[in-house]
Amino acid sequence: MAAVDAAAWDALDHGPSPFLEHGFLRALEDSGSIGADTGWIPRYVLAETEPGRLAGAVATFVKLHGYGEYIFDFAWARAAERAGIPYFPKLVVAAPVTPATGRRLLVHPDVSDEEAVVHALVHGVREVADLVGCHSIHWLFCTEAEQQALARMGYAARASYQFHWHNAGYASFDDFLARLSSRKRKQFRKERRRAAEAVDAIDWVAGGALTDADVAAMDALYRRNVARHWGQAYLRPGFFDRLRAYLPHRVQFVRARRGARTIAGAIYLETERALYGRYWGSTVDVDCLHFELAAYQGIERCIARRIPLFEAGAQGEHKLLRGFAPSPTFSAHWLRHPELDRAVRAFIAREAQEVAAQMRAYATYLPYRRD
């Protein structure tokens, strides 16, 4: 990304998401969180109307494994291996190690023929796959409109879901609570009170105000949480420092302190149209503090700043009981081997019915008043 003009790249339409902005991708690259030794090898496709005039772009990644994608294809890879069909390398179009919906076809808002730019970009992605020898292409967490366009170009549309919080124009956190059932309203207040009583302070720190001690705390909390859950630390040391340097206007750190010591925190990335919760961690076990920092603080911030959407990451049925509704996510897939492609498409069709049924069932557990 250092070879791509930052202003030109960021002038493309990214939608609400900041995860393909120049600063985020460069922080990943410069910290070694993506690159050849990680199995995420970046290949950027640029469309220019004339030399140096960027009309569109796609961030693609040659993948040597299936980790860090969150729309998983492990079963497909195992089936290919059993059948003696090569599966890796594959080409992924996504925000690396970030399960957040966003535009994948980045087009300048002033182009006169967006459809032509989109077709050129999709063709360019296929060209990368052919040149590198990738056996499949996967557009992950794209928008619904992009999925539909890709389906018209021969990609298989796959359904999945996460739990998202949607701002219904609440005037305050109490206004949000008023929409809940009485039992849930009492529970939320009790959880928030427990968290607040267990710490000395909870505050938000903007990216530009982060100190070296804050950045060190962010990194330590992230690594401790990964280790506690037997996960993989995709973000290498130095990532958060570079994120502070390259994308300070998007970063927010909500921290809980006892005295001068940060004991827990969650990192958020924010735009005018969406809030994204990331990288929670704590050094001590405090009842309800996770809910406070990773859910309630984010909801309260969205209400105060009139942000319409709050995405708090992948998985987590506990989000459902705190007002995060099952929300569709989208991907599109193409596999080079015709028999494997047919088998995957048949699986995706069956899976879509299960996903729809799961979303309907989950929706019945939302905490909102039935009236």
Side-chain angles (χ1 to χ4, degrees):
M1 288 306 292
V4 180
D5 181 78
W9 180 277
D10 288 342
L12 304 176
D13 184 2
H14 289 254
S17 171
F19 294 109
L20 288 181
E21 290 185 359
H22 194 278
F24 190 81
L25 293 173
R26 189 169 177 191
L28 288 169
E29 282 190 8
D30 288 4
S31 64
S33 301
I34 58 175
D37 65 335
T38 70
W40 287 85
I41 306 169
R43 294 288 184 270
Y44 302 112
V45 178
L46 309 181
E48 298 178 331
T49 52
E50 57 186 67
R53 187 174 179 83
L54 196 59
V58 176
T60 79
F61 302 87
V62 178
K63 288 294 302 297
L64 307 178
H65 55 71
Y67 296 101
E69 298 172 14
Y70 302 96
I71 293 178
F72 297 117
D73 61 350
F74 293 121
W76 306 353
R78 288 194 296 268
E81 183 180 18
R82 289 195 299 270
I85 299 169
Y87 198 79
F88 298 103
K90 63 180 181 177
L91 194 66
V92 169
V93 183
V97 299
T98 305
T101 295
R103 290 197 61 157
R104 301 297 177 243
L105 290 154
L106 308 178
V107 179
H108 197 285
D110 294 338
V111 298
S112 57
D113 191 345
E114 181 175 349
E115 185 176 356
V117 175
V118 166
H119 277 270
L121 291 171
V122 174
H123 176 76
V125 170
R126 175 61 184 270
E127 201 170 16
V128 170
D130 293 342
L131 288 169
V132 177
C134 294
H135 300 284
S136 57
I137 302 173
H138 308 266
W139 301 73
L140 305 182
F141 294 102
C142 59
T143 67
E144 183 177 15
E146 288 175 329
Q147 186 194 61
Q148 292 172 354
L150 290 163
R152 292 192 292 271
M153 296 181 224
Y155 285 81
R158 188 179 187 187
S160 52
Y161 65 90
Q162 291 179 336
F163 300 104
H164 298 166
W165 185 85
H166 301 274
N167 190 347
Y170 301 113
S172 65
F173 194 85
D174 282 340
D175 185 28
F176 163 61
L177 290 179
R179 311 288 179 91
L180 307 180
S181 67
S182 175
R183 183 172 65 85
K184 283 298 178 184
R185 190 160 55 244
K186 292 176 182 177
Q187 177 189 338
F188 284 21
R189 286 177 172 147
K190 184 177 181 180
E191 289 178 345
R192 299 204 73 181
R193 186 170 60 251
R194 282 181 179 174
E197 290 172 350
V199 300
D200 294 330
I202 295 174
D203 57 356
W204 287 78
V205 185
L210 290 168
T211 65
D212 290 346
D214 289 325
V215 172
M218 291 160 67
D219 188 81
L221 291 170
Y222 166 73
R223 297 190 192 289
R224 189 174 190 275
N225 193 54
V226 169
R228 288 184 66 184
H229 293 88
W230 305 93
Q232 183 172 342
Y234 296 116
L235 304 176
R236 299 284 180 86
F239 169 76
F240 295 110
D241 189 39
R242 288 169 172 82
L243 194 63
R244 171 181 62 169
Y246 298 151
L247 210 64
H249 58 295
R250 299 298 191 203
V251 179
Q252 295 286 338
F253 180 40
V254 59
R255 63 188 181 185
R257 291 182 293 167
R258 285 178 176 165
R261 185 167 64 98
T262 297
I263 64 165
I267 301 165
Y268 289 81
L269 275 81
E270 179 182 272
T271 68
E272 296 78 10
R273 296 159 62 186
L275 181 69
Y276 301 88
R278 289 291 176 274
Y279 320 129
W280 144 267
S282 66
T283 61
V284 295
D285 292 326
V286 177
D287 191 27
C288 299
L289 191 56
H290 172 257
F291 300 144
E292 176 63 24
L293 298 187
Y296 299 139
Q297 284 285 328
I299 290 172
E300 197 164 46
R301 187 172 181 87
C302 284
I303 293 170
R305 300 174 72 86
R306 295 183 172 85
I307 298 173
L309 172 66
F310 177 16
E311 291 192 21
Q315 293 101 33
E317 285 80 359
H318 66 274
K319 300 187 186 84
L320 180 76
L321 301 180
R322 285 159 185 85
F324 290 75
S327 303
T329 52
F330 309 95
S331 60
H333 308 263
W334 169 84
L335 289 83
R336 191 178 297 277
H337 193 281
E339 292 297 332
L340 184 61
D341 186 68
R342 277 194 286 271
V344 164
R345 288 172 187 266
F347 167 80
I348 285 174
R350 296 192 302 271
E351 182 188 46
Q353 299 177 17
E354 293 296 325
V355 166
Q358 288 171 5
M359 291 179 65
R360 288 194 298 270
Y362 275 132
T364 65
Y365 291 95
L366 284 166
Y368 300 102
R369 287 164 35 187
R370 299 304 179 193
D371 58 351

